[in-house]
Amino acid sequence: MKYFFSILFVFFFLSCENDVTGVDDLLDNPLDENQVDYDVPAFVFYPSLFDVSLGQSFQTQIYAMGVENLRGVNVLIEYDETKLSLQNLNNGSLADGTNPLFFTDTDTPGRIEISSVYMSADSGSVDGNLKIAELIFSTISIGSSTIDFMNESEMLDPDDNLIEIKGFAQGVVNAN
Amino acid sequence: MNVIKILIYLYFFLFSITYGQSEITTVAVLDFEARGINALEAGTLTDRFTSELNNTNTMRLVERGMMADILEEQGFQQTGCTTDECAVEVGALLGVQKMISGAIGKIGSTYTIDLKMVSVQTGATEETKSVTYMGKVDGLITEMEILAWELMKLKPPQALVLKKRMGAEAYLSQQTKQKTKIGAMTRSLLIPGYGQFYSGNKKSAFFFMGTQVAFLGLALNSQSKFNSLQSDQDAALLSYNASVTQSDIETYATKIINLDSDLQSANDQLTLFSISAASTWVLNILHAYISGPDEDLASLPVYLAYNPVSRGFGLTWSITL
């Protein structure tokens, strides 16, 4: 019994150190301009990383990040339809009000198109990080897949001019 | 026979010259009278009493064998000499200053011991002691040893008092368990300072215990601080991940970075105090061994043994687990 306690004592000292996760590993908000590796304005999935079980659904939001003078967007998204199934698609906060200008097209498997326009009596455009839509997917087969913005996606100012999009974030799904 | 007689007288003469002029009292002990116990037991108890009396170093004792020879030469029968007058007479024959006589009695399961010290010169009783004892006859040995000191108006040694309190069997059993360096080391391995206590080195024991407790306390305090900071950081991280505006994100990111710095600091302190505690613990084990009880070579677990395989002698080391 003496030796048992002695061994415990040794383990006690050996275990007297905590693992401290580095800040860089902690700060992984996809909307954090100081941490992400893409420039703004950008289209971003928030959150962007999913570890889910097979058949389980998950939700992600589409953000226009770091925008200035934005009036409307046309977002094109593609995903692997053999691994993911779109369950639902909801309006975000860019197009709000009683009759929001928010249109979607999900007819093509593996592809989603969203058009959303900001309407307000106070101003004709909006700045910052803006939620465009919410997507709900479910996994239909095991494996890793991505959700991507297509380069044809657009951001428009009140004069209908294109705003240069400098970054597209990627969503990563790991179905177990 | 005449030669022996001359030698005895010569011894007696020299004994008287040597000790008679000094201040040390000469004493002889008569066989204690047996009342209810057998003479053999009474004789053994007298022997033990005489031996212990000698240990007090307060008088010169006439050896019992020598006393018997002298009395025999004088044609005196010690047996039956139980009165003070007889004791004085014997003392005079022996040339001693004081005589000790006594009786050991037994009533039921109770033993009584009555001792008396008589001045040979005056015939007066100078000291009497009586003890009543219940228990095994073996316990009388300890009682006799203590009486030897008390009769000389001395405080019995602590060991004898302990022996009486514990009982002879338990005391002797404890005495046979010799303290060892390995024993001290093993105890310090279990609890810092315990080995030093075992070795009787109380100052070192308190030092190691105190230091260990202090370092452990500081380490626990650092761990507690770390846990609190970790909890704050987890909360800030939740808020950071839930934030969608850049200002909120920056606010929480700054908070997380500051908390991370504090966490690193608390963790460094924890490591420092833990290593200090571990080092103290190791030092305590080494100290317990080095300053442990001195052992007889015979009790060391190292033996010189003949190895029949290699046909040579070698040192064998063993440790009891």
Side-chain angles (χ1 to χ4, degrees):
Chain A
M1 189 55 89
K2 279 182 185 176
Y3 291 92
F4 173 73
F5 280 118
S6 301
I7 290 164
L8 278 185
F9 204 57
V10 171
F11 277 114
F12 171 76
F13 284 113
L14 291 178
S15 62
C16 278
E17 193 178 46
N18 298 293
D19 289 329
V20 181
T21 311
V23 168
D24 290 340
D25 294 331
L26 291 174
L27 301 178
D28 59 354
N29 187 329
L31 297 173
D32 188 348
E33 287 181 18
N34 298 317
Q35 297 296 323
V36 296
D37 55 2
Y38 38 80
D39 293 329
V40 294
F43 279 121
V44 173
F45 291 106
Y46 172 83
S48 59
L49 182 63
F50 307 93
D51 285 305
V52 289
S53 304
L54 180 64
Q56 189 182 347
S57 60
F58 63 91
Q59 185 192 66
T60 185
Q61 297 166 359
I62 297 165
Y63 268 83
M65 175 183 169
V67 294
E68 289 179 2
N69 202 26
L70 181 75
R71 180 63 184 273
V73 295
N74 187 47
V75 186
L76 291 163
I77 298 164
E78 61 181 355
Y79 61 93
D80 186 347
E81 74 272 17
T82 62
K83 293 191 172 175
L84 298 174
S85 167
L86 181 67
Q87 300 294 307
N88 207 353
L89 199 166
N90 301 317
N91 186 13
S93 57
L94 180 65
D96 56 0
T98 50
N99 294 303
L101 294 175
F102 181 78
F103 310 99
T104 61
D105 178 5
T106 58
D107 292 342
T108 309
R111 183 183 161 120
I112 303 166
E113 182 171 359
I114 302 166
S115 298
S116 178
V117 179
Y118 176 70
M119 295 291 285
S120 171
D122 300 328
S123 69
S125 65
V126 67
D127 302 332
N129 298 341
L130 302 158
K131 186 163 81 170
I132 295 160
E134 286 177 359
L135 303 177
I136 297 169
F137 289 97
S138 65
T139 54
I140 52 178
S141 68
I142 289 173
S144 183
S145 63
T146 59
I147 312 169
D148 299 286
F149 293 102
M150 296 170 71
N151 289 333
E152 291 82 3
S153 299
E154 294 174 342
M155 289 185 186
L156 299 166
D157 67 10
D159 299 325
D160 223 16
N161 295 319
L162 285 174
I163 298 171
E164 186 189 1
I165 302 170
K166 294 182 178 174
F168 293 101
Q170 190 180 53
V172 178
V173 183
N174 294 310
N176 306 305
Chain B
M1 194 63 185
N2 283 335
V3 178
I4 295 170
K5 193 184 275 184
I6 290 165
L7 282 174
I8 290 170
Y9 279 116
L10 187 63
Y11 170 84
F12 181 67
F13 176 71
L14 289 174
F15 183 88
S16 302
I17 286 182
T18 308
Y19 299 112
Q21 291 174 350
S22 69
E23 290 181 4
I24 296 175
T25 315
T26 50
V27 176
V29 181
L30 284 172
D31 277 344
F32 296 148
E33 188 185 353
R35 296 174 186 163
I37 64 170
N38 63 50
L40 212 59
E41 287 171 339
T44 304
L45 292 169
T46 309
D47 283 342
R48 180 53 64 92
F49 174 82
T50 310
S51 300
E52 197 60 33
L53 202 61
N54 205 28
N55 290 340
T56 63
N57 288 324
T58 52
M59 88 305 289
R60 293 292 172 188
L61 203 61
V62 177
E63 195 200 336
R64 289 186 67 233
M66 187 65 68
M67 187 175 82
D69 284 345
I70 293 167
L71 292 176
E72 192 181 335
E73 285 300 323
Q74 296 291 318
F76 194 95
Q77 286 296 318
Q78 195 189 157
T79 315
C81 181
T82 55
T83 61
D84 289 357
E85 293 76 17
C86 180
V88 168
E89 192 180 342
V90 171
L93 280 173
L94 296 171
V96 295
Q97 292 162 287
K98 289 176 182 173
M99 285 298 296
I100 296 172
S101 62
I104 304 169
K106 186 185 180 189
I107 301 168
S109 58
T110 304
Y111 294 91
T112 59
I113 308 167
D114 296 286
L115 300 183
K116 189 184 287 181
M117 187 158 68
V118 182
S119 168
V120 174
Q121 194 178 359
T122 63
T125 301
E126 290 196 340
E127 188 71 31
T128 57
K129 283 283 171 191
S130 296
V131 167
T132 303
Y133 167 79
M134 285 183 76
K136 287 183 180 176
V137 70
D138 319 33
L140 283 175
I141 295 170
T142 312
E143 295 292 345
M144 296 305 292
E145 287 170 337
I146 290 173
L147 272 174
W149 291 84
E150 289 178 346
L151 195 69
M152 303 314 291
K153 296 179 181 174
L154 293 170
K155 194 176 173 185
Q158 197 60 34
L160 275 181
V161 177
L162 189 67
K163 189 177 169 185
K164 181 181 178 179
R165 196 184 308 149
M166 290 176 69
E169 194 175 344
Y171 177 79
L172 291 173
S173 169
Q174 190 204 42
Q175 292 299 302
T176 54
K177 290 175 187 170
Q178 192 187 8
K179 291 182 176 179
T180 63
K181 284 179 183 289
I182 296 288
M185 193 179 78
T186 311
R187 280 165 176 78
S188 275
L189 193 73
L190 180 64
I191 299 170
Y194 186 23
Q196 283 78 3
F197 257 122
Y198 169 77
S199 305
N201 194 350
K202 287 187 179 175
K203 277 186 182 173
S204 298
F206 282 124
F207 170 76
F208 280 112
M209 275 185 181
T211 310
Q212 195 70 30
V213 167
F215 280 132
L216 284 176
L218 288 168
L220 285 173
N221 183 50
S222 298
Q223 180 66 54
S224 170
K225 189 178 171 185
F226 181 91
N227 290 342
S228 171
L229 288 167
Q230 184 77 69
S231 176
D232 291 348
Q233 195 187 47
D234 288 346
L237 193 61
L238 279 175
S239 301
Y240 166 81
N241 285 328
S243 299
V244 293
T245 64
Q246 201 56 42
S247 61
D248 284 352
I249 288 171
E250 283 177 5
T251 301
Y252 289 116
T254 306
K255 192 173 181 182
I256 288 167
I257 290 166
N258 291 337
L259 283 167
D260 187 70
S261 172
D262 293 343
L263 273 171
Q264 293 284 2
S265 174
N267 201 35
D268 289 346
Q269 282 185 0
L270 174 65
T271 308
L272 175 71
F273 293 136
S274 299
I275 289 172
S276 301
S279 304
T280 309
W281 180 60
V282 171
L283 276 175
N284 138 75
I285 294 167
L286 293 174
H287 181 267
Y289 182 78
I290 293 164
S291 67
D294 291 328
E295 297 169 41
D296 295 334
L297 282 176
S299 66
L300 287 175
V302 180
Y303 310 97
L304 183 67
Y306 178 74
N307 187 334
V309 179
S310 63
R311 293 183 178 179
F313 286 93
L315 285 176
T316 304
W317 184 77
S318 71
I319 180 169
T320 310
L321 292 177

